[in-house]
Amino acid sequence: MPNRIIQAVYIDDDAALGRLVQRILGRRGYEVEHVTTAESGLARIADGDVDVVILDHDLGTSSGVAVLEALRVREQSPPVVYVTASTELSIAVQALKAGAVDYVVKTVGDDFEVLLVAALEQSVERARLMRAKEEAERQVRQAKDRAEMLLAEVNHRVANSLALVGSLVRMQASAVVDPGAKAALAETQARITAIANLHRSLYTSTDVQQVDLAAYLETLVGELGNSITASGRTPTIKLHAEPVSIKTDRAVSVGMIATELVTNALKYAYPVGEGEVRVSLSRTPPNQVTLSVSDDGIGWNGNGTAKGSGLGSKIIAAMSKSLGAQLEYHDRPIGTLASITFDEMAS
């Protein structure tokens, strides 16, 4: 028996049977409102506060199936238990296809009462569970939206803070006279910018767990190009990137590697300041991605002692390890070609 009063609407043109159903269900804790036409039944349902509908198949001038069809287009309609005196299976199939949740055949005696009450209780409970499920899903969606909004705000603030730090480093570089210190500060600024651009791409993205690597590298290469142009040198940086999306933390590693390789090419490939640096991002079957940086400068195959402090090489090695890959230098007639291949799908 229900533990609260269940509001039911019984649609049947048989007044005597309507009173009988009211008495039967009244003893079971139901409050039944009997209406005799499809129109009045639909109007009562539209008023709300209806837990379940008992719908007769034969309504005289109309059919219960027509009521089901009308309810189907409404949002959050109450469950419908279909009743009829006919034992034809086709009627049950038609009613269930039209949206009824259960089907009861009218019989003489206690069987009808038992079957009807069981169908009503199951229908009301199923509707309650469905509403609870929908509410839980709604709350999960709201929580997810709030979390994503907060994460976007965090990425926005981190990007702005890193941009400020980068500006301070650039100001410091302008203030120092020593060429080595100036170059070191410029490289530090480039590394900060690489991470700041990643956070900037995250707070403008609809997916904070994945990064569009092509777009990220485009921004990164643009920043490096502007930086080198501002320093008075004129190498050209070109990017060719296929669409690739990877996890955010892995994108940081790719961005740092790209920054170090491009910075090295800009510093050492063209001593006189002229030349082209090419950055490429491509897919290689089955699920591999290759990042390569090449130039036509004086050339280096990775053997021997690297120029500079060696910090860039250490950063590349650490970032490569986090990607589960290793940087390779390829033999070329002229210039340098460095590449790294990693798994696109890895977590």
Side-chain angles (χ1 to χ4, degrees):
M1 179 183 293
N3 56 14
R4 68 177 182 84
I5 296 177
I6 303 298
Q7 302 293 327
V9 172
Y10 179 35
I11 307 175
D12 192 336
D13 62 345
D14 187 333
L17 187 57
R19 289 191 295 272
L20 175 61
V21 169
Q22 284 178 319
R23 287 198 302 271
I24 291 173
L25 295 182
R27 298 194 301 265
R28 303 274 188 158
Y30 289 80
E31 185 174 309
V32 181
E33 183 174 346
H34 176 227
V35 296
T36 57
T37 65
E39 292 76 14
S40 57
L42 290 171
R44 176 62 187 87
I45 294 169
D47 289 339
D49 194 27
V50 176
D51 295 306
V52 66
V53 176
I54 309 163
L55 177 61
D56 187 49
H57 174 65
D58 187 359
L59 299 176
T61 58
S62 63
S63 165
V65 174
V67 177
L68 288 171
E69 295 290 350
L71 290 175
R72 177 181 284 180
V73 299
R74 298 190 181 189
E75 292 185 3
Q76 297 182 336
S77 292
V80 177
V81 174
Y82 208 73
V83 296
T84 180
S86 174
T87 58
E88 292 184 16
L89 183 60
S90 60
I91 294 178
V93 172
Q94 185 182 18
L96 293 172
K97 284 185 176 180
V101 298
D102 212 336
Y103 180 86
V104 177
V105 177
K106 296 177 185 177
T107 58
V108 178
D110 295 337
D111 286 350
F112 175 62
E113 177 180 348
V114 172
L115 293 173
L116 179 60
V117 171
L120 290 174
E121 290 181 354
Q122 290 175 14
S123 299
V124 170
E125 180 64 13
R126 188 184 299 120
R128 185 191 68 79
L129 292 174
M130 183 60 70
R131 287 193 298 270
K133 176 176 178 289
E134 291 173 351
E135 175 62 18
E137 290 175 346
R138 184 188 65 81
Q139 292 181 3
V140 168
R141 287 194 299 270
Q142 287 184 340
K144 179 175 179 289
D145 291 342
R146 286 194 297 269
E148 289 182 349
M149 184 171 60
L150 289 172
L151 186 54
E153 179 63 21
V154 168
N155 282 311
H156 179 66
R157 296 191 180 198
V158 169
N160 287 346
S161 297
L162 288 173
L164 176 60
V165 173
S167 297
L168 294 174
V169 172
R170 182 171 59 250
M171 292 172 62
Q172 185 66 56
S174 300
V176 301
V177 178
D178 180 78
K182 188 182 290 288
L185 288 170
E187 291 175 16
T188 299
Q189 183 207 345
R191 292 162 185 149
I192 294 171
T193 300
I195 301 174
N197 284 335
L198 175 67
H199 285 280
R200 187 171 292 111
S201 69
L202 288 177
Y203 77 72
T204 58
S205 172
T206 57
D207 184 357
V208 295
Q209 295 182 342
Q210 296 282 125
V211 172
D212 180 348
L213 205 50
Y216 173 43
L217 289 176
E218 183 177 7
T219 302
L220 193 63
V221 166
E223 292 277 358
L224 289 170
N226 292 337
S227 176
I228 199 68
T229 300
S231 69
R233 303 175 63 195
T234 57
T236 301
I237 310 175
K238 291 187 176 180
L239 171 68
H240 173 75
E242 298 180 12
V244 175
S245 291
I246 62 173
K247 295 289 185 180
T248 302
D249 55 346
R250 292 169 63 78
V252 173
S253 298
V254 175
M256 293 299 292
I257 292 171
T259 298
E260 296 302 323
L261 291 177
V262 171
T263 300
N264 286 343
L266 294 173
K267 286 171 59 179
Y268 305 121
Y270 304 108
V272 297
E274 298 286 344
E276 182 178 274
V277 176
R278 295 173 293 277
V279 181
S280 172
L281 182 73
S282 59
R283 296 175 180 274
T284 51
N287 293 309
Q288 301 290 304
V289 178
T290 297
L291 170 73
S292 65
V293 176
S294 62
D295 61 66
D296 301 319
I298 60 176
W300 191 56
N301 61 6
N303 296 322
T305 303
K307 295 182 179 180
S309 65
L311 177 60
S313 298
K314 293 178 181 178
I315 292 175
I316 291 174
M319 296 298 103
S320 299
K321 184 177 180 180
S322 71
L323 291 171
Q326 187 173 355
L327 183 69
E328 296 182 65
Y329 284 90
H330 305 268
D331 291 329
R332 303 185 71 203
I334 185 173
T336 301
L337 171 60
S339 70
I340 184 170
T341 300
F342 54 93
D343 188 352
E344 177 184 4
M345 308 303 293
S347 58

